[in-house]
Each structure stands twice: as structure tokens, then as C-alpha cells.
Amino acid sequence: SSEVLEAIENVIQDVLKSLAQKQAPVLTVAKRSDWRNIQFKDSVGLQMVPHCTTQQIRSDCPRSAQKFALMLKILSMIYKMVQSNTYATKRDIYYSDTLLFGSQSVVDNIVSDISCMLKIPRRSLHILSTTKGFVAGNLSYTEEDGTIVNCTCGATAVTVPSNVQGIKNLISHAKFMLIVEKDATFQRLLDDDFCNKLSPCIMITGRGVPDLNTRLLVRKLWDTFQIPIFTLMDADPHGIEIMCIYKYGSASMSFEAHHLTVPSIKWLGLLPSDLQRLNIRRDALIPFTKQDQNKLASIQKRPYIAYQPAWKRELEIMAASKLKAEIQVLTSLSSDYLSRVYLPNKLQFGGWL
């Protein structure tokens, strides 16, 4: 915490120095989402280059003066929380003054900019993410306050903890981990008792694009147990993008890649080639929109795709067919095809990429 306080004090000292010299204070932040600032490393995923291009948040420029003021406001809130050892979510910060901040996305963006500027992970800034992910299966752990959590598969899942760093005594006999894109598929597998049927496993869902805590938990489980991790996503550009976030990270959070990515993650399904292999009826598939085409084209250009020839082929199949499918398409074969046939066969015979 002293490191965080010192980092914030240094920023404020620079602001005071500028004022003393009758100059307009400036905050310098990295351009987090600029692909030119991001390099791909096979063992880490997407990470920020050491000397990246920056942008200046000036206090004397009408375009950036408001952001400058909001950054100082949030820095002062962080400083107080670290001093008093209290925590808040980004949502709490927004609701502390909705008129001032204007929208939740403004707060989210500034918090990430501050974390990147100070080179301090968000958790150390005493800002907790709101958790939306679920975990179930052969896993138990102790939360920071001593609560013992048992995720053993019942019909209900456990919410991913809001302080993943604080959990300890992780125990599991799972043979693998399955990351499921969507809540509906996750619940269906829970109802089918999938965690126990085949062999003990851990299931996780970020319920779409994963929040920070879900990604941290996947990484923590990988560091602790070193078991294979598979992803089950829709066969569409959005599903592939979500899988890439778990595996390689995202451009905007590349400054935290070392805590978040798991490059050993495998793509289990739903593969575009599966749709042909299983003779899924064409009328059960969904035609591409212009947005799908643009998203797929942008993924195909990403640096990591060159390292994954098998993925590249799958993306080419999808691009050529201009068709996508949700995991639910498997129910057109039979209602429990996913848990009874598809996943057992894939896991048994190595049908992943």
C-alpha cells in the first residue's frame, strides 16, 4: 500500500510543480488499445511494449480538461481507500457522483488508465471488479475472511470470488477445466451433471465477455493445478474473440497480461469444421452479418493467428461459408447431444485445437 500511496503522491507532485512554474499540468497515459503498442509473445499472449506511444491528458485543453479533472478525482478516492484499507467497485465509484462521471464506461476507462499509468494492478488500487462469472465442479477453497467454499457440482454454481488474490487452500481432483462461453450452456451442463459423469472437472463461465475476476480465477486455477483447459464457445466471431481474451488477453488490458492470460488454453468447440462433420442442417445455421464479417476479418489479422495454423483453417472455413452457429445448434441432433456425445467424444479422442 505504501507503494500505491507513493505512486499517487508522485503524480500529484508533478501537477503541483507544473502549477508552481505557471504551466498547465498534464497527465501522460499509454495508448492502451493501440495495436502498435502491443506485441505478441507465445508464452504470455498480448503484452504492452516497454516504450509505447502515449497521449497527454492536458488540463488546459477543452477536449481533455474534464478527463484530467476526473482522473485526479478518482486518484484522490483511491488514495483515501488505500489509507483507510477500504475497497470499492467501479460501480460504487460511478454511483458516488453520477452527474460528475456521466456514465459507468467513463469510470471503467479512467480506472484502467490509472492502473496502467501507475503500473499497479487494479486490485492493489483497492478497486474490486463486479463479478458476473460462475464456477462449479470439483473445487473447494477458503476465502480471505475464512469462509470455506465448496463448488462441488449441484444444480447451482458458485459466484466467482470478488477477491481472487485472497483465496487460498485450493483443493481439486479435477482432470480438466472447461470454460463455457454462455450461461445457458453452462446451466444445461450443470443440469446434466456433466462435472461428475465423465471424470471430475471444473467448469467456469464468464457469461459472455469475461470480467477481470473470472480471468484471474482461470489463471489462478491454471497456476495451482496445471490441468488441461478447454473452451466451449459458439462457432461465431464473437465466441472466438472471447476465447482469445482468455488465452491471449485483450489489447486494452495488455499491460496486465502476466496476471491474466493462459496461453495453454485449447479450443474444444464448437469448431466451424464440426458443423460440416456433424452434417448440421443448413437451415439451423445463421447467416453472417456485415459486423460478423468485419469482426472475423480483424481476428484473422491478429498476430497470434499466425502461430495457430489449425485455428487459421477453422477461421477460413467460417469465412468461406459466411455462416455461424450457437452451441444450442447441437440440440437439433438430440436434446442431450452436447453432454452425452459431443463433449465425451471430443475429450476422449482429442478433438481440440
Side-chain angles (χ1 to χ4, degrees):
S1 63
S2 59
E3 184 194 337
V4 181
L5 296 176
E6 192 181 332
I8 295 173
E9 284 160 10
N10 289 340
V11 171
I12 302 306
Q13 271 178 340
D14 288 344
V15 168
L16 293 174
K17 267 185 210 157
S18 300
L19 290 170
Q21 291 162 2
K22 298 199 167 31
Q23 292 169 347
V26 169
L27 295 173
T28 305
V29 298
K31 290 186 177 175
R32 288 181 295 114
S33 297
D34 189 332
W35 280 91
R36 289 169 299 186
N37 284 336
I38 292 157
Q39 63 185 15
F40 173 68
K41 195 173 172 193
D42 210 14
S43 60
V44 180
L46 299 174
Q47 58 179 0
M48 199 167 254
V49 296
H51 304 291
C52 59
T53 57
T54 56
Q55 65 187 71
Q56 293 197 322
I57 312 297
R58 301 189 61 85
S59 58
D60 61 347
C61 163
R63 273 211 331 271
S64 62
Q66 187 183 9
K67 182 168 181 179
F68 179 90
L70 293 180
M71 285 185 78
L72 288 191
K73 167 75 176 166
I74 292 178
L75 278 167
S76 78
M77 293 172 86
I78 292 168
Y79 195 85
K80 280 182 193 145
M81 289 192 298
V82 173
Q83 273 189 320
S84 61
N85 197 23
T86 53
Y87 287 81
T89 64
K90 291 183 296 183
R91 204 168 169 75
D92 296 332
I93 292 174
Y94 168 59
Y95 279 108
S96 71
D97 198 331
T98 53
L99 281 176
L100 177 69
F101 293 117
S103 77
Q104 181 69 60
S105 60
V106 167
V107 173
D108 296 354
N109 196 28
I110 287 176
V111 167
S112 293
D113 278 340
I114 287 173
S115 175
C116 185
M117 176 176 78
L118 301 179
K119 296 185 170 51
I120 289 170
R122 195 155 79 198
R123 303 163 298 291
S124 304
L125 301 177
H126 284 229
I127 295 174
L128 301 172
S129 304
T130 313
T131 294
K132 65 184 178 108
F134 288 133
V135 58
N138 193 295
L139 173 69
S140 66
Y141 56 83
T142 308
E143 291 199 323
E144 200 175 26
D145 64 1
T147 308
I148 295 171
V149 177
N150 189 352
C151 306
T152 304
C153 246
T156 54
V158 171
T159 307
V160 166
S162 57
N163 181 5
V164 175
Q165 302 308 96
I167 66 173
K168 51 189 184 291
N169 305 334
L170 287 88
I171 299 165
S172 177
H173 304 292
K175 296 285 181 278
F176 64 92
M177 201 151 95
L178 184 66
I179 299 171
V180 182
E181 177 187 350
K182 282 188 179 147
D183 193 23
T185 311
F186 180 85
Q187 294 298 340
R188 179 65 212 248
L189 290 171
L190 267 187
D191 293 342
D192 290 349
D193 197 25
F194 177 75
C195 297
N196 300 315
K197 266 188 183 157
L198 202 60
S199 58
C201 74
I202 299 168
M203 279 201 318
I204 288 188
T205 179
R207 298 163 76 196
V209 177
D211 59 289
L212 191 69
N213 291 330
T214 304
R215 291 176 63 192
L216 282 167
L217 182 62
V218 169
R219 175 59 193 253
K220 184 154 191 136
L221 293 172
W222 161 246
D223 286 340
T224 309
F225 301 118
Q226 302 276 312
I227 50 177
I229 304 180
F230 303 108
T231 58
L232 181 62
M233 306 279 149
D234 287 342
D236 65 13
H238 188 62
I240 291 164
E241 169 111 283
I242 288 170
M243 171 174 60
C244 292
I245 290 172
Y246 282 108
K247 186 175 171 76
Y248 294 128
S250 59
S252 63
M253 291 295 287
S254 58
F255 65 97
E256 276 219 56
H258 290 270
H259 311 289
L260 292 171
T261 60
V262 185
S264 61
I265 283 173
K266 300 283 183 258
W267 185 6
L268 188 71
L270 191 59
L271 304 178
S273 59
D274 288 338
L275 304 176
Q276 298 171 337
R277 182 174 62 82
L278 299 171
N279 290 322
I280 302 286
R281 291 194 328 271
R282 199 177 170 85
D283 64 353
L285 304 176
I286 307 161
F288 259 28
T289 61
K290 187 79 187 111
Q291 199 182 0
D292 290 326
Q293 272 174 286
N294 295 341
K295 168 80 78 184
L296 184 59
S298 103
I299 293 171
Q300 285 176 301
K301 293 193 192 92
R302 303 243 175 109
Y304 42 72
I305 297 300
Y307 287 76
Q308 295 281 0
W311 283 30
K312 196 163 175 257
R313 281 195 298 277
E314 293 293 334
L315 299 188
E316 283 161 4
I317 291 170
M318 192 185 281
S321 75
K322 292 196 172 62
L323 292 167
K324 60 183 182 177
E326 297 186 327
I327 295 161
Q328 282 80 351
V329 80
L330 296 176
T331 57
S332 68
L333 300 171
S334 78
S335 64
D336 59 350
Y337 191 86
L338 176 66
S339 59
R340 185 175 53 82
V341 182
Y342 183 83
L343 288 174
N345 282 348
K346 282 253 170 177
L347 291 160
Q348 192 176 346
F349 300 114
W352 58 80
L353 304 176

